[in-house]
């Protein structure tokens, strides 16, 4: 079974933290439920939450904090 992925909904800059002084939303090994926020994509000073559409365990982040991302780009890999 192929791993599930959470994709970028927009082009922009991916952030794993809500702000520079706060911890990341999620880490590798964390469980996510449907609707959990795993990051933010910033586009022209508009911050859009990236939410899990499926439940699972985070096995990898496929984009680093502050990476430029494109729509549909895999950001997070989920295992069961």
């Amino acid at each position: 079974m192929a791993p599930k992925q959470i994709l970028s909904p927009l082009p922009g800059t991916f952030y794993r933290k809500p702000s520079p002084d706060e911890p990341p939303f999620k880490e590798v090994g964390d469980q996510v439920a449907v609707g959990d926020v795993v990051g933010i994509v910033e586009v022209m000073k508009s911050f859009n939450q990236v939410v899990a559409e499926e439940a699972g365990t985070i096995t990898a982040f496929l984009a680093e904090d502050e990476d430029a991302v494109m729509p549909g780009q895999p950001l997070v890999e989920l295992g069961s």
Side-chain angles (χ1 to χ4, degrees):
M1 179 183 231
K4 297 174 266 184
Q5 296 178 331
I6 299 173
L7 309 178
S8 177
L10 303 163
T13 304
F14 177 63
Y15 294 100
R16 290 186 55 204
K17 303 178 207 177
S19 71
D21 298 337
E22 295 186 50
F25 290 103
K26 298 289 182 184
E27 296 282 1
V28 171
D30 286 353
Q31 295 283 325
V32 294
V34 174
D36 282 358
V37 177
V38 298
I40 294 173
V41 174
E42 182 263 325
V43 183
M44 299 180 70
K45 305 299 180 194
S46 176
F47 295 86
N48 303 279
Q49 294 181 336
V50 179
V51 297
E53 294 180 355
E54 298 185 53
T57 302
I58 295 176
T59 57
F61 278 89
L62 306 174
E64 297 297 324
D65 195 41
E66 301 185 26
D67 272 359
V69 296
M70 298 302 295
Q73 179 177 336
L75 302 175
V76 179
E77 186 173 274
L78 297 177
S80 50

